[in-house]
Amino acid sequence: MDKSLQEILQEAAEKFAAAADSHALYEAKMAFLGKMGRLGALYKKLKELPESERPAFGAQINELRRAIEERVAVIEGMLHARELSARLEGERVDVTMPGRRRRQGTLHPVTRVKNMLIDVFAGMGFEVFEGPEIETDYYNFTALNTPADHPARDMQDTFYLADGLLLRTQTSAGQIRMMEQKKPPIKMLSPGRVFRSDDDATHSPMFHQMEGLVVDKDITLCDLQGMLDEFARVIFGKESKTRLRPSYFPFTEPSVEVDVSCHACGGKGCSLCKGTGWIEVLGAGMVNRRVLENCGIDPDVYSGFAFGMGIERIAMLKYGINNIKLLTENDVRFLEQFKD
Ligand code: DAH
């Protein structure tokens, strides 16, 4: 072979040997054997030669082509073998490997708190009663001593439906349904969704409440506070205390607002409790005589207490959640923080 052709072969052999994989080898191969490659240029040159010189040069080019093809084939074989064994290695199944774990879900913080509350009160003998979310005006307001013209109706921005129906604004409606069905002694816990036209960082148009009702002979405000103390200890920690402040609800008399000592600062005063050492947690009171009468229970024989709390509010206080929207956005990164 001509010296210049020898050099091309040498160059090709070096390029092929340097190819890292079969794709690179293909590129290198095309640079020599392709139409636009080095051999292509030689064939072009062949055409320009005088006829007498063509056969000899043509034979040389063909020899070069075969030599190049041979080299390519050798390297190609090597690379294929290497790539195949790498693929087999990569796809090898190790039957002794442990299975892949499925990501486990967690209970929603509202559900967790609801379950905790049920645990506390079920342990004290309360039974769970769930009333309907679509209520009549009577159960949600009138029977709870809140007739149509009562100013306390303005405390709750109600979604009214047709025909005297509404979305219940409070689980207190369950008290009436319970007392109509069952005579004392009653110890009822009523969790559920409630609805109000209200929407900001701490209010949502739909939220959850937990209602409690106890009716029996000789029930007093002390019984209420004793049970709430236990509730506060379980939910907010052993050192928690409660205090009652006078308030007003149409369905209780007297009515109280229940504060729990601040679990963040232990009552010393911090930003969570706005420096007071106390956090308002729920409403409660002694069941109003009129409410008992509305349900056919003699208020001279029986007395009772009731309480109602927002479950989101308890969850937000307990876990330090500052925006109620986080509880309905279903962002897994947020929700999975509430593990056992
Ligand atoms: N229903 C009241 C509310 O939604 C909370 C409440 C207050 C419930 C006092 C009660 C109670 O049972 O006695 O604001």
Side-chain angles (χ1 to χ4, degrees):
M1 223 188 295
D2 195 271
K3 190 155 179 263
S4 66
L5 298 194
Q6 290 272 13
E7 276 169 16
I8 294 180
L9 178 59
Q10 178 64 27
E11 202 185 314
E14 276 164 20
K15 286 261 158 65
F16 298 159
D21 55 27
S22 45
H23 179 73
L25 179 66
Y26 177 79
E27 301 272 296
K29 175 176 150 182
M30 292 320 277
F32 288 92
L33 299 181
K35 259 208 182 109
M36 310 298 279
R38 301 286 283 277
L39 256 83
L42 290 178
Y43 281 121
K44 230 187 235 152
K45 191 173 159 196
L46 177 69
K47 276 188 200 147
E48 286 155 14
L49 283 181
E51 199 140 349
S52 58
E53 289 174 28
R54 279 189 208 162
F57 192 59
Q60 290 226 26
I61 301 176
N62 285 339
E63 194 186 331
L64 174 63
R65 166 183 282 280
R66 270 194 303 280
I68 289 179
E69 279 170 352
E70 246 165 53
R71 309 267 155 138
V72 170
V74 172
I75 309 263
E76 214 164 41
M78 259 167 51
L79 287 178
H80 277 162
R82 200 203 290 165
E83 282 161 16
L84 182 66
S85 68
R87 218 178 83 200
L88 290 177
E89 185 61 29
E91 290 174 2
R92 193 163 69 184
V93 176
D94 181 353
V95 291
T96 65
M97 285 235 301
R100 253 181 228 141
R101 252 172 210 284
R102 248 170 216 253
R103 218 157 143 212
Q104 207 170 16
T106 54
L107 284 181
H108 191 280
V110 168
T111 308
R112 288 174 68 93
V113 170
K114 181 176 108 176
N115 290 349
M116 279 180 201
L117 293 171
I118 291 176
D119 279 354
V120 176
F121 290 102
M124 296 188 239
F126 282 67
E127 62 177 307
V128 173
F129 170 84
E130 289 187 37
E133 290 172 7
I134 294 179
E135 263 300 3
T136 64
D137 190 280
Y138 177 77
Y139 285 106
N140 194 78
F141 288 126
T142 307
L144 285 162
N145 196 31
T146 320
D149 56 355
H150 199 290
R153 284 213 179 190
D154 296 342
M155 286 160 70
Q156 302 176 359
D157 231 332
T158 310
F159 290 113
Y160 287 97
L161 308 173
D163 304 326
L165 294 174
L166 44 80
L167 296 181
R168 69 176 170 194
T169 58
Q170 48 189 353
T171 43
S172 307
Q175 291 183 28
I176 306 297
R177 290 188 175 271
M178 186 70 184
M179 286 190 280
E180 278 183 355
Q181 280 175 26
K182 196 178 162 186
K183 294 306 143 199
I186 292 171
K187 267 181 163 180
M188 176 207 81
L189 200 60
S190 191
R193 291 193 186 91
V194 297
F195 306 85
R196 292 181 198 179
S197 180
D198 221 349
D199 202 6
D200 60 33
T202 54
H203 297 86
S204 148
M206 185 283 290
F207 62 104
H208 297 76
Q209 281 189 337
M210 180 72 81
E211 191 81 11
L213 172 72
V214 172
V215 184
D216 202 350
K217 288 179 180 155
D218 305 320
I219 296 295
T220 70
L221 214 53
C222 288
D223 298 313
L224 170 71
Q225 191 163 19
M227 290 193 185
L228 292 178
D229 275 342
E230 177 59 14
F231 144 80
R233 282 192 289 266
V234 172
I235 301 293
F236 295 110
K238 280 204 185 69
E239 309 303 320
S240 300
K241 297 184 189 62
T242 62
R243 83 174 176 189
L244 308 182
R245 273 182 297 114
S247 184
Y248 175 78
F249 298 100
F251 32 89
T252 43
E253 182 57 39
S255 301
V256 293
E257 213 70 67
V258 182
D259 297 342
V260 175
S261 55
C262 180
H263 56 289
C265 63
K268 285 197 227 48
C270 67
S271 61
L272 182 67
C273 59
K274 302 192 181 80
T276 64
W278 296 92
I279 296 174
E280 185 182 314
V281 170
L282 60 110
M286 297 305 293
V287 181
N288 192 307
R289 292 174 64 87
R290 293 219 196 141
V291 173
L292 294 174
E293 277 167 6
N294 287 342
C295 302
I297 294 175
D298 185 349
D300 290 325
V301 179
Y302 293 103
S303 57
F305 69 72
F307 60 83
M309 61 183 95
I311 301 181
E312 278 82 352
R313 178 164 168 76
I314 307 278
M316 289 170 77
L317 288 170
K318 181 172 171 59
Y319 297 121
I321 300 166
N322 59 9
N323 194 320
I324 198 166
K325 302 287 179 297
L326 289 165
L327 294 169
T328 44
E329 278 170 355
N330 284 337
D331 185 332
V332 175
R333 291 167 303 177
F334 168 75
L335 294 175
E336 71 186 359
Q337 296 174 54
F338 305 93
K339 286 192 181 133
D340 284 316

